[in-house]
Amino acid sequence: MPFKNVIAALTIFPRCAIVFGVDRFSPAVADRRQPLHLNGANHWNLEGFTVENSAKGIVLDRSSNNVIDDVEVRNTRDEGVHFRATSSDNVIQRSFVHDTGTEQP
């Protein structure tokens, strides 16, 4: 199912919340290696949560015009936040990314 002109918002409170069980048809995919992976997702607002103790933090593939705001990413073995595969016009603001790349810088 293609996602075109989809506007979605993921707001998670309180900060200790855990995201899991994402619908298999959603452009957001969750697993233990990449807790939050947006693939082909446009105009998403990700706000107010923490990603920790995983291989990767937040990964965006072919995703544009998204905002990551007030997010903490910590203790990841690889990258903390990665915009890749033609992702463009994304913003990360008021966020704290630290202690990442502990196994693969």
Side-chain angles (χ1 to χ4, degrees), residues 57-72:
I58 300 171
V59 177
L60 281 73
D61 285 323
R62 293 177 297 283
S63 300
S64 300
N65 301 296
N66 300 292
V67 176
I68 299 172
D69 186 19
D70 189 30
V71 170
E72 182 175 7

Side-chain angles (χ1 to χ4, degrees), residues 19-93:
V19 179
F20 63 94
V22 176
D23 184 280
R24 67 185 179 98
F25 294 112
S26 172
V29 178
D31 68 28
R32 289 185 183 154
R33 293 173 314 245
Q34 297 179 143
L36 187 54
H37 178 201
L38 297 183
N39 188 358
N42 300 314
H43 303 283
W44 282 52
N45 294 314
L46 307 175
E47 181 179 2
F49 61 95
T50 299
V51 176
E52 66 178 357
N53 301 325
S54 60
K56 299 177 186 292
I58 300 171
V59 177
L60 281 73
D61 285 323
R62 293 177 297 283
S63 300
S64 300
N65 301 296
N66 300 292
V67 176
I68 299 172
D69 186 19
D70 189 30
V71 170
E72 182 175 7
V73 179
R74 63 183 181 218
N75 302 324
T76 62
R77 293 184 298 279
D78 298 329
E79 61 265 35
V81 178
H82 195 167
F83 301 105
R84 61 185 193 185
T86 70
S87 292
S88 63
D89 300 316
N90 296 293
V91 174
I92 183 167
Q93 61 190 19

Side-chain angles (χ1 to χ4, degrees), residues 4-17:
K4 294 186 178 181
N5 301 321
V6 173
I7 298 177
L10 175 61
T11 303
I12 305 165
F13 294 100
R15 184 169 291 285
C16 62

